[in-house]
Each structure stands twice: as C-alpha cells, then as structure tokens.
Amino acid sequence: HGGPFGRMDSWGYDPTVQMLASHGYAVLQVNFRGSSGYGREHEVVGYKQWGLKMQDDLTDATRWAIDQGVANKDRICIFGASYGGYAALMGAIKEPGMYKCAVGQVGVYDLAKVKGDNATQSDYLRTFFAETFNEGDLASLSPNKLGSSVKIPVFLSAGKEDETAPIEHTEMMEAALKAAGAQVGPLSERDG
C-alpha cells in the first residue's frame, strides 16, 4: 500500500486484488511495520525504515507464502503503488532471485527527491516527515540509483498530473532500468 504511514490494507473489496484473483493469481497484501491500524508501536517501528526493515517484512511474508505452499517460488511478482511501487522495485533489488517480475504503479523511486519535495510542505508535514523519513545515504535506498541491480522484467505506470508521486520518479526509474539493459515495459501515462 501507499503511505507508507497512516495507511493499511484492510479486509474488503479492492478492484486491483479482484482483477488479479479473477485471473488466477494468489494475492498477498502485507501490513508491514509502519502501517496504521495495529497500534502506535507498530507504526513507529517503521519510521526511517524505507528499504530496510519495512522491506524485510515484505520479504518475510513472501517466504512465508512460499513455505505454506500458497505461492510458487518460480512464479512470484511484486506489485505496488506509491510507496508500494517503491517497495516493489526495492524488492527486485534486494531479493534478486525471489521475484520474477516487478510492477511499480505511481511509485516514488528517488528518496532525495522525495525529501526535497517534502521540504516545501506545511510545518506539520515537515516535522512529521523529519521524524519518519530515512536519513543518511539516500542513494543506497533509491531504486532509480540501483537500476543495474534489477535483473527481472519491470512494468511501470504513472499519472502525468500526479502531485503526490510525480511522474519524474517513474521517468528516472525507467531511464535507470534502460541504461542498465533491464527489460522494462513502456511507461504508461494516465491523465489525472
């Protein structure tokens, strides 16, 4: 799911999940540390963990699905939107043998750009962002800086007028993947 904070996947109808399930795919939605709905402690332990412990939670859940026989280890794809798009590409980077494809929808792929974009927000959002967002070497946690590590097919999509996850993130990710010789589906732009 997006966010990553203040968001969670919950029980109920989700059109994307339904579309995948109706085509025979098992879908696992993970409320990794940082997700809301499980108490303040569960959310706080996700602070400053983009690409780190939050990503490990997705990996652990994938391994669980394989061990339980729910997922075929030879046919797993990682898919997400917004923060989930970021997590999908980081999954392809951190676990090169686990996923056979990745889908990033309206993702954010350059953490320095995310940090810079949020510097112009309200005082409340700047304070929250400072408390929750990673510090230090952001390039080592930015998928668009690690494109050469992606060895699986990738599909990217973005909204041309999206202000939350600007299309520049997807364009940078696409350029990094192409420069590395990765197989990347054409950038799909949607209005609105």
Side-chain angles (χ1 to χ4, degrees):
H1 59 72
F5 309 109
R7 302 278 187 266
M8 65 181 281
D9 286 312
S10 58
W11 182 257
Y13 181 81
D14 180 306
T16 303
V17 172
Q18 185 59 42
M19 183 270 302
L20 291 167
S22 71
H23 285 85
Y25 295 95
V27 178
L28 175 63
Q29 294 176 278
V30 180
N31 283 314
F32 44 82
R33 68 190 80 203
S35 302
S36 63
Y38 296 92
R40 177 112 172 107
E41 184 178 333
H42 182 77
E43 184 171 331
V44 170
V45 296
Y47 288 1
K48 301 182 186 295
Q49 294 300 312
W50 284 54
L52 301 169
K53 291 181 181 176
M54 289 193 302
Q55 194 69 42
D56 294 342
D57 291 342
L58 299 175
T59 300
D60 292 346
T62 303
R63 287 187 177 127
W64 173 87
I66 293 167
D67 291 346
Q68 296 299 307
V70 173
N72 178 337
K73 69 177 179 59
D74 297 321
R75 299 184 64 186
I76 295 177
C77 187
I78 186 167
F79 173 110
S82 192
Y83 171 81
Y86 165 86
L89 272 290
M90 280 305 290
I93 292 162
K94 286 188 75 171
E95 301 296 337
M98 181 174 286
Y99 303 105
K100 306 310 175 201
C101 65
V103 177
Q105 182 179 6
V106 298
V108 290
Y109 305 111
D110 187 302
L111 296 192
K113 179 170 177 38
V114 171
K115 189 171 193 170
D117 290 348
N118 279 283
T120 62
Q121 299 293 332
S122 69
D123 287 343
Y124 169 78
L125 288 176
R126 272 196 310 274
T127 300
F128 180 75
F129 195 76
E131 182 182 346
T132 62
F133 198 70
N134 292 45
E135 298 170 342
D137 179 16
L138 298 180
S140 69
L141 298 171
S142 297
N144 72 310
K145 305 294 186 196
L146 306 167
S148 63
S149 297
V150 178
K151 306 296 184 200
I152 58 175
V154 174
F155 181 83
L156 300 171
S157 68
K160 188 166 45 173
E161 297 178 22
D162 189 335
E163 294 179 10
T164 304
I167 196 168
E168 291 84 13
H169 280 278
T170 301
E171 291 168 340
M172 289 186 291
M173 188 72 241
E174 179 185 36
L177 290 168
K178 285 184 175 180
Q183 183 180 351
V184 59
L187 175 62
S188 169
E189 294 182 8
R190 299 185 312 208
D191 291 330

